DNA sequence: TCGATGGTTCGGCGCCGGCCGAAGCATTCA
DNA sequence: TGAATGCTTCGGCCGGCGCCGAACCATCGA
């Protein structure tokens, strides 16, 4: 047995995520909001006691963090790195052997628009990324993103104050592979600011108990006018291969 | 219990990685070479039978792939996505609670230079990335990378034929957060080509049974001359905070 | 046609860890 | 102060999974 130096602790982390109940909790937290223990219990489908044990472990490993408020305890992911790891696992899970991929019932809403930790994902997010790229406001050269000078102005006009808080560690503009669409969308602090702003404007709103986002009437108009979305952005993107022709 | 649609399968993937033996095997495969079952058994510290079972599971979940050759079976990671997920978990594990982070004995070699799936990592790789950025051959704007026109020429002169095979799915130039240095190094197909070339030139060579790379005498000269490495690149980088001035 | 070597399959053992019921704190209302 | 709510701790049950020994298949060298 050689070189187990780090291999061991990665197993610890992975096995923490590798329990169905905990995975469900973490997935729920990928929505970006802090959730109370009880809500997490329901997401996981286990009793409160069991949940408590799980949360203690996750906390201990610093995968999540807690904030107590009155008699509630609100849990959130501990860092963007955690979100990234979970995201990578989601990608892997989605691309794995088909076998039993039920593509759940309420998934439709999730596929259309949802939060991904602190930014948007789903078809809306992919369409936004496409448009911003086409308009020349960002340059999404595979896996990475860059804001152009025009983009800088555009986002500034739109009311995002990116740049004012250069919390150095955080990339301004990353792309994040959308696990449902298999195409990149905007992440990084730009992505986060965009979500904040559109929530603020009331263009989208969080659906209760879910990561899904509802697109409001105002949002319909706003997104179309400001970001010039293609008219067919709601159509499911055919994953990479299939021909685009038929309805 | 709501929204368990995908949360469940991510648990399956994570729990596969979440076993010490399997994690060790996968870590070993992060070296980028295909390894025979027996070698993996030794890496994992379990018997051949046990290893066989583990490999079957990993194979079944398409985390790894096999190629049989005579009476050997060579296993490798199934895709870059798998490598990315493992990498994310490594990052998480490395940044977790200190507790028992032994910083193993032979780690010194690993920290200096090693392979990371198909490209280089460690202090050498970080120093290369820094130099290439300073020289203006690549632009490493956080999280992402872009090759400049000068860089294009430079890499071409150096003998890399990036671009000739545009296997679309693969980003040309990504950055990858080095888990030992906590600073970015070059990944993507450019990173891969760079590793190939330097192995080819004999500037580095693989150490047996390890992901570590040995830097040859020729490599010392070559890297210094071609990439203009700072003279102190061998010094351990102080993680993120500490001031750069002294020494 | 035989060993020898690399890998896999089978069966049974043992332990770790997730689960819940019951009880115990803390906080917030009345 | 007492009851309700949210969460945690404790103890015991039980299933799943990782482990190995033994036997079995496949490939290579003489």
């Amino acid at each position: 047995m050689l070189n187990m130096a780090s291999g061991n602790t990665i197993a610890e982390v992975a096995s923490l995520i590798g329990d169905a109940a905990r995975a469900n909790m973490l997935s729920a937290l990928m929505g970006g909001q802090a959730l109370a223990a009880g809500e997490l219990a329901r997401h996981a489908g286990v009793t409160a006691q069991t949940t408590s044990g799980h949360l203690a472990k996750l906390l201990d490993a610093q995968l999540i963090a807690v904030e107590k408020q009155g008699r509630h305890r609100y849990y959130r992911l501990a860092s963007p790195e955690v979100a990234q790891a979970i995201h990578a696992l989601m990608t892997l899970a989605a691309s794995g052997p088909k076998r039993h991929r039920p593509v759940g019932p309420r998934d439709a809403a999730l596929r259309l628009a949802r939060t991904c930790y602190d930014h948007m994902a789903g078809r809306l997010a992919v369409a936004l990324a496409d448009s911003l790229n086409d308009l020349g406001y960002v340059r999404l050269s595979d896996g990475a993103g860059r804001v152009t000078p025009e983009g800088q102005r555009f986002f500034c006009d739109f009311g995002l104050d990116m740049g004012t808080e250069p919390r150095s560690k955080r990339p301004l503009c990353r792309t994040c592979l959308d696990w449902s669409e298999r195409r990149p969308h905007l992440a990084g602090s730009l992505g986060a600011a965009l979500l904040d702003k559109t929530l603020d404007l009331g263009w989208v709103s969080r659906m209760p108990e879910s990561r899904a986002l509802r697109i409001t009437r105002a949002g319909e108009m706003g997104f179309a006018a400001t970001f010039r979305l293609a008219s067919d952005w709601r159509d499911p993107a055919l994953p990479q291969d299939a021909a685009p022709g038929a309805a």
Side-chain angles (χ1 to χ4, degrees), chain A:
Chain A
M1 163 168 33
L2 353 148
N3 187 19
M4 55 167 292
S6 63
N8 225 344
T9 46
I10 136 174
E12 290 169 18
V13 175
S15 78
L16 272 167
I17 309 178
D19 170 83
R22 285 192 295 259
N24 282 326
M25 300 180 196
L26 291 170
S27 295
L29 291 176
M30 283 293 279
Q33 297 177 103
L35 298 177
E39 304 182 87
L40 290 171
R42 265 180 306 130
H43 271 97
V46 292
T47 62
Q49 318 88 290
T50 305
T51 302
S52 181
H54 286 312
L55 291 175
K57 287 183 187 180
L58 292 173
L59 205 53
D60 185 59
Q62 299 183 12
L63 291 187
I64 60 177
V66 106
E67 214 155 341
K68 60 184 305 187
Q69 206 168 104
R71 56 184 167 187
H72 295 267
R73 295 205 176 173
Y74 289 96
Y75 292 89
R76 57 177 174 78
L77 297 187
S79 70
E81 281 79 20
V82 177
Q84 186 153 339
I86 294 173
H87 188 273
L89 290 171
M90 280 178 163
T91 305
L92 228 50
S95 66
K98 325 261 177 310
R99 221 163 297 168
H100 45 57
R101 191 137 341 276
V103 186
R106 64 183 303 160
D107 258 13
L110 281 179
R111 287 177 187 277
L112 191 63
R114 64 180 181 277
T115 55
C116 173
Y117 188 48
D118 61 0
H119 56 272
M120 279 189 274
R123 280 202 283 281
L124 173 60
V126 168
L128 283 174
D130 280 348
S131 271
L132 288 171
N133 190 53
D134 291 347
L135 292 170
Y137 294 154
V138 296
R139 279 280 156 259
L140 302 180
S141 57
D142 37 35
R146 200 165 51 83
V147 180
T148 64
E150 299 80 35
Q152 200 94 27
R153 263 226 328 276
F154 171 78
F155 290 120
C156 198
D157 288 351
F158 186 56
L160 306 187
D161 61 345
M162 358 137 323
T164 54
E165 53 155 336
R167 32 175 177 144
S168 47
K169 295 300 294 178
R170 187 82 187 283
L172 171 62
C173 177
R174 272 182 51 237
T175 66
C176 180
L177 192 66
D178 198 292
W179 63 258
S180 61
E181 300 301 296
R182 304 290 195 88
R183 303 201 35 225
H185 60 242
L186 238 50
S189 52
L190 177 59
L194 206 56
L195 171 61
D196 276 353
K197 185 65 180 177
T198 49
L199 277 170
D200 221 50
L201 290 172
W203 288 9
V204 292
S205 63
R206 296 179 187 275
M207 312 242 295
E209 302 281 350
S210 163
R211 296 169 50 194
L213 289 172
R214 200 172 59 85
I215 302 168
T216 65
R217 186 102 188 83
E220 292 284 358
M221 320 268 299
F223 284 122
T226 308
F227 296 95
R228 315 209 168 278
L229 296 192
S231 58
D232 61 348
W233 70 267
R234 285 170 170 285
D235 296 346
L238 329 171
Q240 55 217 10
D241 31 75

